[in-house]
Amino acid sequence: MLDAIIIISFILAGAGIGFHGIEELPSSALQQVTNEEGLRWVTAGFGALIGLALGLVVQTSYRRLERQFRTMPADILLSRAVGMVLGLLVANLILAPIFLLPIPSEFSFIKPLAAVVGSVMFAFSGVTLADVHGRTLLRLINPHTVETLLLAEGTLKPASTKVLDTSCIIDGRIEELLNTGFLEGQILVPQFILAELQQVADASNDQKRVRGRRGLDILNRMKETYPDRILIHPADYDDVTTVDAKLIRLAQEINATLLTNDYNLNKVASLQKVTVLNINELAQAVRPTYIPGDSLDLKILKEGKEPAQGIGYLDDGTMVVVEDGRNYVGGELQVIVTSALQTSAGRMIFARPKASALA
């Protein structure tokens, strides 16, 4: 019923504008018309057709917005509404002096134009800020929640927003990290990161193109799985040339945590007092620790450099050098850890076959 009302309203409005619109034509043009009443009905018909087209567009857009509102969580909907209202209030306060200016009549269109453009800009800015600081806005509305009291006394610390780097998206481990639930807070993907990811996916180099498309697929899956947490942020900085510098500046402005596995970006961001979470460091930290005497099952894949040595690898890629393991190449055996060594290239474990270690 509502769809029909929208379409019929636009048809009637278009027909009415077309029917009465000829009155705005110059008198010289009207004098050349022999049947003014017929012209009215012709323009009314064209107006009705245009109204029908506009009505269908408005009706389709309205249904699309309605579907989005129905699936949108209540807290996000409320925070965006508050952000839009605050943006409109700020727009009215800032634009009020313009209406007091003595503008000549030939430039009187400036006032309504400034009002419309300013209101749209500030309303959009309010909604954008609400996406980033929505929970803060809700706490302002209801400051007496348990969460607010705990935050005020310092017992509870709010989860910081995370900003994703291109390398972190392409790496893919961020998706598994999200699935485990260990990563908290909102995840922002800046627009310039999305543009860089698309540029990599369109590269002429086959290897780069595959990595870029893989990153886009991972980002789409995360967006579908966590639509309320993965947000595309429109921020960009024309005065900053490199993507890394833009990431650091965005993280500084919104007090966010930078999520990356780029070693150089990690160091530069840390120097500029930006909190960084490096997935490579996390992977290194959660690797299982083996001490001398531990037993593990290992498949010997190849011969070592030294005589009688065999080489195997753990699931996380750690190399295990097995003394007297050359004869077991291609097979599996139980080994006893004798020592471990941390090198710049990674970690190495030395072991011996359990049978020879117990002999």
Side-chain angles (χ1 to χ4, degrees):
M1 184 64 182
L2 181 60
D3 296 339
I5 292 175
I6 293 174
I7 295 173
I8 292 173
S9 298
F10 272 88
I11 292 175
L12 293 177
I17 293 173
F19 188 82
H20 297 285
I22 65 170
E23 297 174 1
E24 302 299 326
L25 294 175
S27 56
S28 58
L30 289 176
Q31 291 174 359
Q32 299 177 12
V33 177
T34 57
N35 188 350
E36 185 174 327
E37 190 68 19
L39 179 61
R40 283 181 180 275
W41 287 108
V42 170
T43 54
F46 278 109
L49 289 175
I50 296 174
L52 174 62
L54 291 176
L56 290 173
V57 172
V58 172
Q59 180 266 337
T60 305
S61 302
Y62 170 76
R63 287 303 178 188
R64 187 182 298 114
L65 286 174
E66 185 182 34
R67 286 194 297 270
Q68 291 179 355
F69 285 142
R70 286 181 177 179
T71 57
M72 189 180 298
D75 56 341
I76 295 180
L77 183 61
L78 181 58
S79 63
R80 287 184 177 180
V82 173
M84 184 174 66
V85 171
L86 292 177
L88 291 174
L89 289 175
V90 172
N92 279 276
L93 291 174
I94 293 178
L95 296 173
I98 296 179
F99 293 94
L100 301 177
L101 296 176
I103 299 177
S105 57
E106 56 268 20
F107 296 104
S108 59
F109 67 92
I110 292 178
K111 291 183 179 180
L113 180 63
V116 172
V117 174
S119 297
V120 171
M121 288 177 57
F122 280 96
F124 180 76
S125 299
V127 172
T128 303
L129 288 175
D131 286 339
V132 181
H133 305 288
R135 299 186 68 183
T136 304
L137 288 174
L138 294 180
R139 284 197 293 268
L140 290 175
I141 297 174
N142 186 13
H144 300 295
T145 61
V146 175
E147 181 187 10
T148 303
L149 295 176
L150 292 175
L151 285 171
E153 68 183 18
T155 304
L156 182 64
K157 298 295 182 182
S160 64
T161 301
K162 311 300 187 298
V163 180
L164 281 185
D165 179 27
T166 307
S167 61
C168 188
I169 299 173
I170 294 176
D171 178 81
R173 288 177 290 181
I174 180 65
E175 184 179 13
E176 296 301 325
L177 194 58
L178 273 173
N179 293 336
T180 61
F182 281 99
L183 195 61
E184 298 180 337
Q186 294 291 99
I187 311 294
L188 295 188
V189 181
Q191 189 67 44
F192 53 83
I193 290 294
L194 197 60
E196 184 183 44
L197 198 58
Q198 183 178 2
Q199 186 177 2
V200 174
D202 294 336
S204 57
N205 184 284
D206 291 340
Q207 188 175 6
K208 284 186 176 181
R209 186 164 60 249
V210 170
R211 294 176 69 247
R213 291 177 179 176
R214 177 173 181 265
L216 289 174
D217 291 339
I218 292 171
L219 188 57
N220 283 326
R221 285 201 303 269
M222 291 194 301
K223 182 67 175 173
E224 291 176 0
T225 308
Y226 306 98
D228 301 332
R229 295 188 60 192
I230 308 296
L231 302 175
I232 306 299
H233 198 282
D236 202 352
Y237 305 98
D238 296 333
D239 57 328
V240 181
T241 55
T242 64
V243 173
D244 288 356
K246 291 181 179 181
L247 276 171
I248 294 173
R249 183 164 172 180
L250 176 61
Q252 289 174 330
E253 287 185 353
I254 64 175
N255 195 26
T257 299
L258 184 58
L259 200 57
T260 183
N261 58 7
D262 188 321
Y263 178 83
N264 294 326
L265 177 59
N266 187 350
K267 293 301 180 183
V268 173
S270 299
L271 288 173
Q272 300 188 49
K273 308 300 181 183
V274 174
T275 305
V276 181
L277 292 179
N278 193 316
I279 294 183
N280 287 335
E281 293 179 355
L282 175 63
Q284 185 72 25
V286 298
R287 281 183 175 181
T289 302
Y290 293 98
I291 60 176
D294 286 347
S295 175
L296 55 95
D297 295 322
L298 186 71
K299 182 175 182 179
I300 308 300
L301 299 178
K302 61 182 180 180
E303 299 178 354
K305 293 182 180 179
E306 301 297 328
Q309 280 185 349
I311 302 295
Y313 294 91
L314 301 180
D315 292 339
D316 60 2
T318 301
M319 185 170 70
V320 182
V321 180
V322 181
E323 298 295 336
D324 300 327
R326 184 186 293 265
N327 296 330
Y328 300 95
V329 173
E332 293 187 5
L333 76 158
Q334 197 171 32
V335 299
I336 300 295
V337 176
T338 56
S339 63
L341 177 65
Q342 183 70 42
T343 68
S344 59
R347 187 176 52 162
M348 292 178 60
I349 294 177
F350 295 91
R352 295 179 64 87
K354 187 174 182 179
S356 62
L358 297 177

